[in-house]
Amino acid sequence: MTAVRALCRSLFLHLLLLLLTVGFSAGADEGPPAEGPNLQISSISGNLEMGRPSSIYVVLQNNASPSKEPADNGFNKATAGSIEAELYCSDDRIKIFSGPQMAGSLAAGENATVQFMALAEGVALGIYPLQLRLNYSRLSQVTVSGDERIPNFVFAYESVLMELPSQVEVVRGPKIELEKLVGETLPGIEASLQLILTNRGDEPAFDLLMQARPNPPFLMVENGKEQPSLAPDESAPLSLSVFTDEDATSGYYVLPCMISYRDEQDGERRSQELSVLVFVGESPFTSWLHLGLAGLMVLLLAGGLLGLKRFMSGGKKLRIIKS
């Protein structure tokens, strides 16, 4: 019992020296308190792609000076607890889909990342201001009552409301376009094609993958295994093989393709449709048939001319005999 009383007395003196404050401020405070947590935006990453929902990552850090108070965050005046973060943009064309995000508690020197989804539509490329609204609690006062040997401690917390300015950039994102198609197909055979793809956007596209789909007269398609990464304005060749219907007539036909790539920000794969015009030449059999018919016509014409010549020569001889 003596040991318990000694421990309580030691804790009592320690808390009186380090935590006891004069006065109590209740309610919300517009801005960070004079002492206690110091929340700041350590970094913000993620750009808004025009017309596509995108992720924004905000890293919060508590830059308060480390305290010599008890290690338990709940009894540390430098700790920000129950942090709630909400992102705003004054431009109505940038819509923030995510509501308030919980960031937990941050002791001095700790950080946490919160993620928001946003969409930019109808705005020009460039940088736009954002506001991050933070609501958190901090230890404001400790009151002591009861017997000095076995004291009672009451911890009071207050709510703090503050806003931090930030910004985000609106970009086009990766835009994959067909630069050139090398090769053509023929009816009834398998042909190899090469597609030269170029990234016309302002963000890189990683691990590019092409999936062409069969579409008449292309009966079967085999996609290549290449998975290049394209920086802005960079090009790379991708290969595929197609088998064309033997009854296909010569002309241009659409080969639908799905282009997918890994996004730099969140690592997820994104995709876009790409229609490729492929030329189908004449069938070799049809070409030989046309050539054969043409040759036959030449022979018939030559034979007819030869016969006519002979007939005309014979008619002259008969007229000479009669005279």
Side-chain angles (χ1 to χ4, degrees):
M1 189 65 180
T2 303
V4 173
R5 289 180 177 178
L7 179 61
C8 291
R9 185 178 294 105
S10 175
L11 180 61
F12 167 74
L13 294 175
H14 182 73
L15 289 175
L16 279 181
L17 290 173
L18 298 176
L19 296 179
L20 194 57
T21 60
V22 179
F24 170 69
S25 176
D29 182 17
E30 296 294 335
E35 61 176 337
N38 182 17
L39 296 183
Q40 296 181 5
I41 296 178
S42 174
S43 66
I44 182 168
S45 61
N47 298 323
L48 294 183
E49 290 188 22
M50 185 76 71
R52 173 180 290 177
S54 306
S55 295
I56 301 175
Y57 300 90
V58 180
V59 179
L60 286 175
Q61 186 171 24
N62 186 354
N63 288 329
S65 301
S67 173
K68 296 181 180 180
E69 298 176 16
D72 189 339
N73 289 343
F75 304 102
N76 195 318
K77 293 174 66 177
T79 297
S82 303
I83 303 172
E84 183 181 88
E86 191 167 7
L87 194 64
Y88 291 91
C89 183
S90 57
D91 195 321
D92 294 337
R93 296 172 298 177
I94 297 180
K95 298 177 176 61
I96 310 296
F97 295 142
S98 303
Q101 303 294 303
M102 302 305 299
S105 296
L106 291 179
E110 294 183 342
N111 58 59
T113 302
V114 286
Q115 178 184 358
F116 300 92
M117 292 295 296
L119 174 67
E121 288 186 311
V123 297
L125 303 180
I127 297 176
Y128 293 83
L130 298 175
Q131 289 290 330
L132 184 69
R133 181 174 297 172
L134 298 177
N135 195 340
Y136 63 92
S137 64
R138 74 177 186 100
L139 180 63
S140 63
Q141 181 175 338
V142 178
T143 57
V144 184
S145 62
D147 193 330
E148 177 183 316
R149 294 170 299 178
I150 309 178
N152 294 321
F153 298 96
V154 178
F155 299 90
Y157 295 85
E158 67 176 349
S159 178
V160 180
L161 179 65
M162 62 181 298
E163 288 192 355
L164 299 175
S166 187
Q167 62 187 24
V168 67
E169 184 176 5
V170 176
V171 299
R172 290 187 61 201
K175 301 295 179 185
I176 309 302
E177 296 180 0
L178 177 64
E179 188 74 18
K180 182 171 61 174
L181 173 65
V182 180
E184 62 180 45
T185 67
L186 295 173
I189 66 171
E190 183 178 1
S192 296
L193 304 175
Q194 189 177 68
L195 280 68
I196 309 299
L197 300 180
T198 302
N199 182 5
R200 294 301 183 190
D202 51 11
E203 292 284 299
F206 296 94
D207 303 329
L208 196 71
L209 183 63
M210 180 179 65
Q211 292 290 331
R213 301 187 298 272
N215 187 54
F218 308 116
L219 303 181
M220 291 186 297
V221 176
E222 182 178 352
N223 295 278
K225 304 300 183 183
E226 304 96 337
Q227 293 191 43
S229 295
L230 296 181
D233 294 325
E234 191 175 14
S235 301
L238 281 81
S239 62
L240 59 88
S241 298
V242 296
F243 183 83
T244 308
D245 188 347
E246 61 182 6
D247 295 327
T249 57
S250 179
Y252 284 93
Y253 296 89
V254 174
L255 180 66
C257 299
M258 178 69 72
I259 305 297
S260 65
Y261 55 88
R262 182 172 55 82
D263 183 70
E264 179 182 23
Q265 299 179 27
D266 51 25
E268 296 182 358
R269 294 199 69 84
R270 298 186 176 181
S271 60
Q272 67 175 75
E273 293 281 352
L274 184 67
S275 296
V276 179
L277 283 179
V278 180
F279 181 74
V280 177
E282 288 190 349
S283 168
F285 173 76
T286 303
S287 299
W288 280 106
L289 180 60
H290 289 169
L291 183 60
L293 289 176
L296 181 59
M297 290 295 293
V298 171
L299 291 175
L300 289 175
L301 183 59
L305 291 175
L306 182 59
L308 180 60
K309 182 178 180 181
R310 289 180 178 178
F311 175 76
M312 294 298 293
S313 299
K316 289 181 179 180
K317 288 181 180 179
L318 289 175
R319 284 194 297 273
I320 294 172
I321 292 173
K322 286 182 181 180
S323 63

